[in-house]
Amino acid sequence: MATPGQQRTRPAPAPQSAGVGTCALSQTDLTADPTRPRRLPYHLLALTTAGHGTVEIDFTAHSCRPGTLLWVRPGQALRFGGEPGLDAALVTWRRDLLPATESTGVPVDDLPGPARWQLAGEDEDAVISEVAQLGVDCVRHPTGPVAAGLLRHQVAVLLLRIALLDDTVRGATSPAEARTFVRFRRDLEEGHPRSRRVEDYAARIGCSVRTLTRACLSLTGRTAKQVVDDRVALEARRLLACTDLSVAEIGRRLGFGEPTNFGRFFHREAGLSPGAFRSWVAARETALGDRVPVPRSAME
């Protein structure tokens, strides 16, 4: 694995030809602009190795110190605080790298899942070892089918270790409800720009709206309609923060025929107008400070 003192080599640690990439945070430009978040099209694990700082994932701030592990899913809004001395070992992989048989029990898809762990003891030793070996093998075996298989399996082992970190705190959700919710979330990832109707998702899954709502309440404490609206509002915040698209265009991308309808929806869900939210993103260090606007779901 590259060391923090080496020269920066690329804008971000994109996966290489075998589908996996590793480097140090200090080798990238991820901390170059601490005011504007960005979206990466691949998974990123960041294991803090030095310093203290803050990393924001989808507008939630996470404090970091040595041993902090973060998982950023594809498409999430990511912002490193840019604190001097903060460094991390980074592992990235393509979103299609792992088949389901190699990631059983691991929330690999773009589903809401745990984003931060503070490692200690044997768990920290094991994760550090896996990350370090991945860094070595990415350099030694960058190409070829055997190398790709090796790296893929190493990523799977690392993610299985991470899944075990939360194994003792899993809820008592029934397997049927869990399957229904996972299917719903996958359909919602693809369908939220086209439909905000719970009935459409229930029909695709083959269940009733009541069954879908019961599964959502069991896993999230939110109704199915609230989960849909949460996802659309999150995508709106991502687009407002990470792109220069107009408010009207963002509304159209999310299925709103009229900008006023989008504006009312966003204000209801986020507590700010789209324009005010974008101004907050652009004025992190001024009057608004670094306070993250609280969406409606967090206050209920």
Side-chain angles (χ1 to χ4, degrees), residues 215-230:
C216 291
L217 286 170
S218 178
L219 276 94
T220 70
R222 309 279 287 166
T223 68
K225 178 56 177 172
Q226 288 172 326
V227 171
V228 172
D229 287 346
D230 291 346

Side-chain angles (χ1 to χ4, degrees), residues 173-174 176-185 196-203 205-229:
T173 305
S174 74
E177 288 178 336
R179 288 194 298 270
T180 297
F181 181 74
V182 169
R183 173 69 189 279
F184 170 49
R185 284 297 313 186
R196 298 188 302 279
R197 286 169 36 88
V198 175
E199 293 84 354
D200 293 340
Y201 295 101
I205 297 171
C207 69
S208 67
V209 170
R210 179 178 295 182
T211 295
L212 181 55
T213 295
R214 186 166 56 245
C216 291
L217 286 170
S218 178
L219 276 94
T220 70
R222 309 279 287 166
T223 68
K225 178 56 177 172
Q226 288 172 326
V227 171
V228 172
D229 287 346

Side-chain angles (χ1 to χ4, degrees), residues 42-66:
Y42 42 77
H43 290 273
L44 181 147
L45 283 177
L47 176 61
T48 305
T49 55
H52 293 70
T54 302
V55 178
E56 193 178 279
I57 303 174
D58 274 344
F59 315 102
T60 297
H62 300 277
S63 61
C64 296
R65 58 185 174 87

Side-chain angles (χ1 to χ4, degrees), residues 17-20 94 97-99 102 134 137-138 141-157:
S17 58
V20 182
R94 294 194 311 261
L97 180 72
L98 299 177
E102 293 181 9
L134 262 170
D137 288 335
C138 277
H141 311 293
T143 60
V146 176
L150 172 66
L151 297 176
R152 185 180 72 250
H153 284 292
Q154 286 177 319
V155 170
V157 169

